[in-house]
Amino acid sequence: SDMEKVDLDEAAREAYNHLSIEEYLEVEPTLNVRNMGRIEADESRLKNMLTNLFCNSINHGDTEDLEIEVGELKSLPTSTRAPTAPKGIYVEDNGVGLPDEEEIDILKQGETTREENTGYGLTTVKEIAEAHGWELDTGESRSGGARFEFTFR
């Protein structure tokens, strides 16, 4: 794998710009990128992962004013002087949120809540996270939408 220092803000913006938004919906989501640092990652796979997450928000967010936020999971500082590398990143939206885990395993290949979708997008996300050795957690954003957290090991 081609690991390198990747600027997370740039990667998120490039992944977003890579989407042909018109294909998905009339409304263009707002992307908020929260000044993140640089991490060791395979840049093209990281962008692929982010693009899949953005597509998931667009396909399932079901809201007019869709906002997607990408930010850093902060580490607790170990000493007062040492700058802390990001502990991980999150991608969240203000859409309708994730389905109940009892209903459907959204990370399982081929699982989808929409007939026209393949159900591969989040499987790809999970595979890329695992290839980097990151832990993936899903949950609810502050606004009740979907939230994906990637904790670096």
Side-chain angles (χ1 to χ4, degrees):
S1 69
D2 305 317
M3 300 293 273
E4 57 189 306
K5 282 273 184 215
V6 180
D7 181 309
L8 280 166
D9 292 19
E10 254 173 58
R13 289 199 184 91
E14 284 174 27
Y16 177 81
N17 294 337
H18 181 78
L19 285 176
S20 30
I21 300 286
E22 297 72 50
E23 276 180 43
Y24 293 101
L25 76 179
E26 296 72 60
V27 231
E28 197 166 312
T30 307
L31 177 70
N32 299 314
V33 177
R34 300 272 171 238
N35 299 325
M36 299 171 287
R38 297 165 74 82
I39 59 160
E40 278 287 315
D42 177 328
E43 188 172 13
S44 69
R45 296 197 78 193
L46 173 66
K47 287 181 194 166
N48 182 3
M49 183 182 95
L50 290 168
T51 299
N52 272 295
L53 286 166
F54 298 162
C55 287
N56 188 68
S57 288
I58 291 165
N59 282 324
H60 300 281
D62 291 330
T63 181
E64 282 291 299
D65 307 308
L66 185 64
E67 285 188 29
I68 301 170
E69 182 173 301
V70 185
E72 223 174 77
L73 297 173
K74 298 281 186 219
S75 323
L76 296 167
T78 43
S79 91
T80 46
R81 284 188 299 259
T84 53
K87 181 175 85 122
I89 57 171
Y90 67 85
V91 177
E92 65 176 28
D93 65 39
N94 63 343
V96 294
L98 298 169
D100 282 343
E101 281 171 29
E102 294 79 59
E103 279 177 42
I104 185 170
D105 179 0
I106 56 169
L107 299 173
K108 195 166 148 227
Q109 190 167 315
E111 290 281 333
T112 181
T113 54
R114 303 228 166 147
E115 282 164 25
E116 70 274 16
N117 293 349
T118 61
Y120 283 93
L122 292 178
T123 307
T124 303
V125 166
K126 184 180 172 199
E127 283 167 1
I128 294 171
E130 283 171 355
H132 282 86
W134 301 340
E135 199 174 310
L136 167 58
D137 284 305
T138 58
E140 195 174 289
S141 68
R142 287 169 304 226
S143 59
R147 181 175 169 104
F148 295 86
E149 288 188 356
F150 301 87
T151 308
F152 307 149
R153 295 205 186 101

